[in-house]
Amino acid sequence: MHGKRSLRFLRKAVWIFSFILAPALLTAGCKDADLPDAETQEAYQTELFAMDTYMTFTAYGDNAQPALTDVADKIRELESRWSVTDEASEIYAVNHSRQGADVSRETAELVTFALDMAEKTRGALEPTIYPVLDAWGFTTEENRVPAEKEIRQLLKSVGHERVSVDENHIILEDGMMIDLGAVGKGYAGRIAAEILKGQGITSALLDIGGNIQTVGSKPDGSDWRLGIQSPFGEGSLGILEVSDKAVVTSGNYERYFIGDDGRRYGHIIDPSTGYPADNGLASVTVIAEDGRLCDALSTSLFVMGTEKAADYWQNHTGFEMILITEGGEIYLTDGADGRFSINTDSEAGVHIIQRET
Ligand code: AMP
Ligand code: MG
């Protein structure tokens, strides 16, 4: 699994077990009329490749098919606005104009959100990390270990506090680049859920490259059952039960390369050093209503490491998390405990992080 080719696409972080329980589901875009409504509503499924990842959307109910088409259209639109490499994108315009560029309100809002989260996480989320990421080859898959001096130099072009957003106009300082890669997919889940709910859908499961956004519960009213992937190989570590929530995982096992020195270098960069985060965490899963928040947090809590991530949770409400360390220990926050059942064959130690009062 170490070859560059195999790393091109993110490995799925979350497996969906709900398929087993929803027999009406598997035919893409067409309903199984033989199944009685009361038992399982009609299911529709759409697949697309966007934002450099595979997405599978499943929605239930009469209006599900046109609603999913709207979702797919919306996500393609977001991709074309936020691509760092597409010369026609809004982010490209911002990154390549010294005078800055006008962007849509939606883009300005997500950039503002990312900057706000950068502030809250003290720069663990760093939307301007792109030049460093590029030097490591994570933007092209031509990976290399940059020289220390090169990293030091590039870090001068990194700093969310130097991005200025004036309504819809965004200006960066010379040499800087902004990238919404750490929050875009989470936002896509959130907006997809909004579109579906706006069209009367009360039950849907959106898989965005392994990150999950659920709408409501399963058609039978029970929670969705999501398998949380072990960061150490194939297979799931346990099952998380949720309704109406997003579940987003970050980890350096998803996309990495092995250097000539035999070391493993992952795609999540610690902005304080310019090197891949390497603090003993293997993966972070965040559970919250807002997929955008989940995405921002899973990346930044991964950068922080176990202790700082636990501190962050102590000081902020509105999300729960599952931390898995390189040593196989599992840390669950209070609200995730009881919703996450660990596979019985797992030998990992489990620790519950309680709210300090
Ligand atoms: P995610 O998969 O949401 O954790 O986002 C990781 C992606 O965000 C990487 O593939 C990079 O494109 C980018 N990235 C890496 N490190 C950071 C960071 N510290 N802050 C913001 N974005 C980052
Ligand atoms: Mg993220």
Side-chain angles (χ1 to χ4, degrees):
M1 291 299 286
H2 297 160
K4 283 174 192 157
R5 288 176 65 84
S6 64
L7 304 177
R8 197 145 166 244
F9 306 117
L10 292 183
R11 275 164 53 194
K12 292 208 169 196
V14 181
W15 292 2
I16 302 138
F17 284 74
S18 50
F19 291 115
I20 303 157
L21 303 164
L25 189 108
L26 289 166
T27 320
C30 71
K31 65 177 182 179
D32 188 336
D34 293 329
L35 280 150
D37 271 13
E39 188 60 20
T40 355
Q41 290 180 46
E42 299 89 343
Y44 290 87
Q45 199 169 65
T46 294
E47 292 180 5
L48 79 153
F49 184 80
M51 300 180 165
D52 203 23
T53 202
Y54 289 104
M55 306 188 181
T56 306
F57 304 144
T58 308
Y60 296 81
D62 288 342
N63 201 30
Q65 194 169 30
L68 285 177
T69 304
D70 288 354
V71 165
D73 289 349
K74 179 69 193 179
I75 285 176
R76 284 198 198 95
E77 179 198 319
L78 295 180
E79 177 182 40
S80 69
R81 284 189 190 164
W82 297 341
S83 165
V84 193
T85 49
D86 178 355
E87 294 184 13
S89 88
E90 294 177 7
I91 292 297
Y92 190 94
V94 170
N95 286 344
H96 293 87
S97 164
R98 295 188 79 163
Q99 293 78 41
D102 284 332
V103 299
S104 59
R105 202 166 78 188
E106 197 170 26
T107 301
E109 274 173 14
L110 190 61
V111 168
T112 303
F113 170 78
L115 294 174
D116 185 40
M117 288 306 295
E119 202 62 42
K120 285 200 170 102
T121 62
R122 298 175 186 224
L125 185 80
E126 181 46 82
T128 65
I129 198 69
Y130 192 84
V132 175
L133 203 69
D134 196 40
W136 284 94
F138 285 114
T139 56
T140 55
E141 303 300 341
E142 281 165 29
N143 295 116
R144 57 188 269 270
V145 180
E148 251 181 80
K149 198 171 152 202
E150 184 184 353
I151 291 178
R152 258 202 318 276
Q153 189 61 28
L154 287 169
L155 280 174
K156 292 182 184 159
S157 302
V158 174
H160 59 273
E161 64 290 339
R162 288 182 282 137
V163 177
S164 90
V165 184
D166 182 8
E167 297 206 349
N168 291 359
H169 194 75
I170 305 179
I171 308 182
L172 305 178
E173 282 184 13
D174 210 19
M176 289 180 72
M177 290 182 92
I178 201 162
D179 160 35
L180 296 172
V183 291
K185 292 188 202 87
Y187 178 83
R190 173 187 150 126
I191 195 79
E194 268 175 37
I195 291 170
L196 293 176
K197 284 180 185 171
Q199 299 192 24
I201 304 298
T202 55
S203 179
L205 185 72
L206 312 171
D207 176 351
I208 300 174
N211 293 333
I212 303 294
Q213 174 81 50
T214 63
V215 173
S217 51
K218 286 199 307 196
D220 67 4
S222 63
D223 282 335
W224 300 101
R225 290 162 54 76
L226 311 176
I228 303 298
Q229 185 178 316
S230 161
F232 310 115
E234 301 304 326
S236 107
L237 216 107
I239 307 279
L240 181 71
E241 297 186 43
V242 293
S243 287
D244 229 4
K245 291 269 191 297
V247 179
V248 176
T249 300
S250 288
N252 267 341
Y253 70 96
E254 295 173 315
R255 188 177 278 180
Y256 62 90
F257 72 98
I258 306 290
D260 293 339
D261 54 6
R263 291 183 61 181
R264 192 166 135 141
Y265 296 97
H267 71 133
I268 299 175
I269 306 289
D270 180 346
S272 69
T273 63
Y275 284 78
D278 182 17
N279 50 34
L281 272 181
S283 74
V284 174
T285 297
V286 176
I287 306 136
E289 266 157 45
D290 180 358
R292 187 182 65 156
L293 177 72
C294 288
D295 204 354
L297 283 178
S298 66
T299 309
S300 50
L301 296 172
F302 184 82
V303 168
M304 289 183 207
T306 309
E307 220 165 282
K308 284 190 188 154
D311 277 355
Y312 189 92
W313 180 79
Q314 291 292 356
N315 291 305
H316 296 83
T317 53
F319 76 97
E320 302 296 338
M321 62 185 185
I322 303 169
L323 310 178
I324 301 168
T325 71
E326 295 281 6
E329 303 289 304
I330 301 175
Y331 290 81
L332 297 175
T333 51
D334 211 11
D337 183 31
R339 297 203 151 265
F340 185 55
S341 41
I342 295 161
N343 287 347
T344 43
D345 56 354
S346 167
E347 287 172 16
V350 180
H351 313 267
I352 312 299
I353 308 173
Q354 307 272 2
R355 281 266 179 233
E356 288 164 5
T357 45

